[in-house]
Amino acid sequence: MFTGRIASLSRYVALLFTILVSPPAQLSAATFGPPPNAPLSLEKLSRIDAFLNDQVARGEIPGAIVLIQRHGKPVYFKWFGKRDVDAGIDMTKDAIFPLHSLTKTITSFAAMMLVDRGKIRLDDPVAKYIPSFAGMKVGVERKDDSGKVVLDLVPLSRPVTIEDLLLHTSGITYGFYGPRGLVKAAYDGIYLGDFDNAGFAERIAKVPLAEQPRTLWDYGHSIDVLGRVIEVASGQSLYAFEKTELFDPLGMPTTKFFLTDPGERTRYAQPLRKDRHIERNSLDVTRWESGGGGLVTTIADFARYGQMLLNGGALDGKTYLSPNTFAAMTTDHVGPGSGVARNYFYYPGDGFGFGYGFGVRTDPGNAVPPPPGSPGEIKWDGATGAYLVVDRAQDMFFVVLQNAPSGRLHVQVNVKKLIYDAFEK
């Protein structure tokens, strides 16, 4: 489920490294992004067609769906390529795609609903809901007298909190990227097997943290653990809570962790053969409802979610998050003065901070010209290419759905550029 990030990780990391070591740009927030209510050229948006048809023809991706919605209505909605290349099945608008890490935004949103209701607090220790977390330690490598690398387990400077899980500052990491030290090795394959969220949380509680809480943005299994917190606080399984509180009221019937209906299984968008190296997918039914990467969806379902986010946490007269809580969720909490460091693997990227589950655009970034986008936009993506950008300054969101681990980043970067290039200056 998670190692799909590896295929394009080296290119992504090289890009991030260039960004992070560059001198800060001397630009204010007012100098980037399209002007408010800028006209969007449908003719220029048609360049997306040529780009994606070329990616399909080259065998870089099997297919994709792109939806751009502005002022509550689709302005661009097209699908390309094949739903299943080997079977020769064309892409369909009802194709079902894995969200992978875009799942994290939904789990984070669900957790913030419980914060809104007073069921959990951001400063609650995780151990309040998962007692075994009270015994967690940080792994620190050193060389012993013989020169052998050994791992010391040192106490936490303070407990891991719910907010740490939301911000990826818990010290919980992934085992499949970054330097192959002893801490990373402890996480190797931790997500393999058949277990539920309670069992997975206990697995995490037995491994060392990679660093002290609230010291580094470190992408990992934090949101999987958050899924277990939701279960304990709500008294329901993660899916039951999300289905009752989000998916059913929003009208998202095909957003789920596992596909058991034969008709839905046939609509699953298959990756190219070169990309069939992900250990888990939603056709393999297990007990684990991974809040960090397990959901699938359709474009129709995800458009409902995107519009609700664009509206600030409300849709069709129903409020899912209060304005204050939604504002907190979409505000950067890891920027200057937060004490949170950024390293080579800071995935939000150039010009972005991080809120409770989303990358948040805070500034133009270091590149000249700045990467496309608007101040305050929120975004995230997943290992197979699912990608969401919500731009409230333009009253617009767009979604890219694809199942193309190795080709995803090139598609995401170029589709976003083509969209913002289509705004009339």
Side-chain angles (χ1 to χ4, degrees):
M1 177 174 295
F2 301 100
T3 54
R5 282 193 177 271
I6 294 175
S8 58
L9 188 60
S10 59
R11 283 184 297 159
Y12 190 25
V13 167
L15 173 64
L16 286 177
F17 184 72
T18 301
I19 290 166
L20 293 172
V21 300
S22 301
Q26 301 301 310
L27 294 171
S28 69
T31 63
F32 79 100
N37 298 313
L40 189 58
S41 167
L42 300 185
E43 181 181 357
K44 290 181 179 178
L45 286 178
S46 68
R47 297 170 185 171
I48 297 171
D49 300 26
F51 169 70
L52 287 175
N53 282 326
D54 180 66
Q55 291 295 292
V56 170
R58 289 171 177 266
E60 299 294 335
I61 63 171
I65 299 179
V66 178
L67 168 68
I68 306 167
Q69 191 152 303
R70 196 178 192 206
H71 307 317
K73 297 180 180 179
V75 295
Y76 181 99
F77 179 32
K78 295 185 180 182
W79 46 99
F80 304 86
K82 301 291 185 183
R83 194 175 76 200
D84 187 330
V85 170
D86 289 349
I89 300 172
D90 288 340
M91 183 61 69
T92 55
K93 66 180 180 180
D94 65 349
I96 299 172
F97 291 85
L99 286 175
H100 289 282
S101 283
L102 199 46
T103 301
K104 291 177 171 67
T105 71
I106 294 175
T107 308
S108 299
F109 193 96
M112 295 303 289
M113 293 176 76
L114 291 172
V115 170
D116 229 4
R117 299 171 188 181
K119 298 290 188 180
I120 61 177
R121 291 171 52 94
L122 292 174
D123 59 358
D124 279 343
V126 175
K128 178 178 177 180
Y129 306 92
I130 308 171
S132 53
F133 266 62
M136 295 204 78
K137 299 285 194 296
V138 176
V140 178
E141 290 189 7
R142 64 174 176 86
K143 290 185 178 179
D144 65 13
D145 294 341
S146 69
K148 180 183 177 182
V149 177
V150 296
L151 193 67
D152 288 336
L153 298 179
V154 304
L156 302 189
S157 58
R158 65 155 179 77
V160 177
T161 66
I162 302 302
E163 187 175 34
D164 290 325
L165 297 179
L166 285 158
L167 294 178
H168 291 284
T169 58
S170 64
I172 299 168
T173 191
Y174 278 149
F176 52 76
Y177 74 88
R180 298 297 301 159
L182 296 177
V183 172
K184 288 283 187 180
Y187 287 79
D188 233 0
I190 199 169
Y191 51 85
L192 299 178
D194 189 11
F195 43 80
D196 58 13
N197 275 322
F200 186 73
E202 294 307 311
R203 289 184 175 203
I204 293 293
K206 290 181 173 65
V207 295
L209 299 178
E211 55 274 328
Q212 290 286 350
R214 203 61 63 88
T215 59
L216 179 71
W217 192 93
D218 192 349
Y219 206 51
H221 287 291
S222 289
I223 308 303
D224 288 311
V225 174
L226 185 65
R228 177 55 184 164
V229 171
I230 290 170
E231 292 184 335
V232 175
S234 70
Q236 299 174 272
S237 73
L238 179 59
Y239 177 61
F241 179 79
E242 292 179 339
K243 183 176 189 299
T244 301
E245 303 297 332
L246 271 176
F247 303 151
D248 284 353
L250 279 172
M252 300 171 64
T254 316
T255 303
K256 54 188 70 173
F257 287 100
F258 300 108
L259 295 175
T260 56
D261 177 82
E264 289 183 343
R265 290 173 69 88
T266 62
R267 287 159 48 202
Y268 185 79
Q270 295 289 346
L272 297 172
R273 289 188 180 186
K274 66 180 180 180
D275 281 334
R276 293 178 189 172
H277 50 72
I278 294 176
E279 288 84 353
R280 285 177 176 268
N281 67 54
S282 293
L283 301 178
D284 302 325
V285 181
T286 66
R287 292 183 295 151
W288 189 30
E289 297 173 355
S290 168
L295 287 172
V296 298
T297 198
T298 61
I299 194 68
D301 279 23
F302 214 64
R304 299 286 293 171
Y305 177 62
Q307 187 64 52
M308 182 270 292
L309 294 175
L310 182 60
N311 294 351
L315 188 65
D316 294 341
K318 180 175 175 59
T319 298
Y320 295 87
L321 276 188
S322 68
N324 286 343
T325 302
F326 186 84
M329 188 174 191
T330 55
T331 296
D332 175 31
H333 297 285
V334 301
S338 67
V340 177
R342 304 178 182 188
N343 68 4
Y344 199 65
F345 300 99
Y346 181 69
Y347 293 127
D350 191 18
F352 282 85
F354 198 76
Y356 298 139
F358 295 92
V360 180
R361 189 70 182 266
T362 56
D363 57 77
N366 296 317
V368 179
S374 294
E377 72 173 273
I378 60 173
K379 59 114 183 194
W380 207 242
D381 71 294
T384 47
Y387 183 40
L388 171 67
V389 173
V390 178
D391 186 341
R392 298 186 75 192
Q394 292 298 330
D395 193 24
M396 177 190 78
F397 73 88
F398 72 85
V399 179
V400 179
L401 292 180
Q402 52 180 332
N403 193 352
S406 62
R408 69 182 181 93
L409 183 61
H410 185 65
V411 168
Q412 291 166 200
V413 168
N414 282 279
V415 167
K416 186 176 187 183
K417 184 178 187 306
L418 288 167
I419 291 171
Y420 281 89
D421 282 350
F423 281 102
E424 302 290 356
K425 303 300 186 287

